Amino acid sequence: MARTKIKDILLREETGYETTVKGWVRSFRNNQFIALNDGSCMNNLQVVIDLNTDSTLVRMITPGAAVAITGTVLPSQGKGQKVELKASEVTLLGACNPEEYPLQLKNRPSLEYLREIAHLRFRTNTFGAVFRVRHSLAFAIHKFFNDRGFVYLHTPIVTASDAEGAGETFRVTTLPFDHPPRLEDGSVNFEEDFFGRSTNLTVSGQLEAELGAMAFSEVYTFGPTFRAENSNTARHLAEFWMIEPEVAFNDLKDNMDLAEAFIKYLIGYSLEHNREDLEFLAQRLLEEEKQKPQQERSEMGLIEKLEFVLNHQFERITYTEAIEILLQSPAYKKKKFQYDVKWGIDMQSEHERYLVEKHFKKPVIVTNYPAAIKAFYMRQDDDCAPGRETVAAMDILAPGIGEIVGGSQREERLERLEQRMKDMHIPVEEMYWYLDTRRFGTVPHAGFGLGFERIVQFVTGMTNIRDVIPFPRTPKNAAF
RNA sequence: UCCUCCUUAGCUCAGUUGGUUAGAGCACCUGACUGUUAAUCAGGGGGUCGUUGGUUCAAGUCCAACAGGGGGAGCCA
């Protein structure tokens, strides 16, 4: 008999039909009640087996074991569920030695411990919910852009340019690391390497996305990104996924509108399609926060927070206004900030958190940062006072996780771009392909990068980024 | 990379001022019971106290280094 997904049985709420389910045992009570989960949804299906079932088979029904069960769906006699499956045939597909299996429903394994058994953690309620939401968000990203006529562009994972200076790179090579071919001056001869030049894993697909935008008008990338920085935080990974839309003819305001609509769409999509999972995650978060002192607890529950963000305009302020707010803040006057505030500084986490969590209490888009602290490709603002040169940058800061989006209108004027690159010691000749877009039919355009795991964190409420990617890669950790 | 805290049973954690044989709950095993909901009840087994070195008559406990992890910071998405 064809397998029915547990989600469909629970959704149907109909009874009296015969069917087959397959899944993994979460718990087995009373030698009679199996809580069965097949990952299709949060909830388990209660399977009731006959008391006369062969006792050697009954002994094999243990947490983690895989079973196939045929039976009739009936209204449940118990209180915890509407329907249950009365088994007529139970088949053990895969046994699971309970002495060795580390996941038992009645244990309360910590997130840190589950990270060590990441190959099994999908089978827990928490990670089941997190990764169903992650899937939903990934799908919603494609849907959002597809519905708006964007072309999904696959930018390369192996690249030769580190021109953007977005971070430390992982080198890609087939040269023998113990005796690489060398030039006369002792440096490694990359001409003998696989690609005939020094290559690394991509740190961003943006520059290539810009090339696509100059033909398709609107493109987006969504792929793995690699940074070899020795960052040990709850919001950094060495391998993560990034979404980078790039739109011709858009200016900074269009860019903000797109980013805000995008984030709200993702939240709305998840609220609509992952209600059960989000409710579970909200409950989990609530339990976790009970451990914290009152003042550190968040004011809103997870779902309230998502609905709040969905229903309120993001605050939009310039960098200059942000600095002004910080300078006027009680926190600044009481010298609560560890780092000083003045125009020109790169804002520290404490400053961003003050703006987002204390002052505005909602996502904030900060624009027009000082040119000196931003990347070469950002469009230089006109009519700046001397010493106050800014660029058309925008960062979206979200409560709890900080910068979730970084983007800008791009510098489309060839001379100004070349001059800026020279000032910042970026090899102009090597970047001829990038500059060609400014030579051949250049237009104003804008785009941004959104860290996928950060939006998954925001939506699921998971505080550590390592818990929203299946197999996290971080310094000293590439297990599984 | 820096600051800080942590590492004791499969898991979550106690462990007093350095002092006899290392504790609990859950999990696991054995048995009982059977419309349970993290099932319940009775009994049982389970430890190189992260690793290495040091101080001491004596170290889970004090010191150092290293490893791993948490929280914070930097860098960023």
Side-chain angles (χ1 to χ4, degrees), chain A residues 194-210:
Chain A
F194 187 88
F195 294 107
R197 59 194 299 178
S198 167
T199 51
N200 47 262
L201 294 176
T202 182
V203 292
S204 163
Q206 181 204 313
L207 300 187
E208 290 89 348
E210 283 189 52

Side-chain angles (χ1 to χ4, degrees), chain A residues 243-301:
Chain A
I243 301 106
E244 295 174 292
E246 195 68 38
V247 183
F249 318 115
N250 265 13
D251 63 14
L252 186 63
K253 182 182 177 300
D254 300 325
N255 206 31
M256 285 191 274
D257 291 344
L258 179 67
E260 182 168 344
F262 179 48
I263 289 172
K264 286 179 170 175
Y265 180 85
L266 297 183
I267 290 171
Y269 188 91
S270 194
L271 280 170
E272 190 182 341
H273 293 87
N274 302 97
R275 197 73 198 188
E276 256 181 16
D277 289 323
L278 291 178
E279 277 167 8
F280 175 84
L281 290 167
Q283 191 58 36
R284 198 201 68 83
L285 203 59
L286 203 65
E287 298 289 330
E288 192 179 87
E289 297 225 325
K290 279 183 188 166
Q291 316 290 321
K292 292 187 193 169
Q294 192 98 43
Q295 55 188 29
E296 285 177 33
R297 294 180 200 170
S298 31
E299 292 171 32
M300 278 184 250

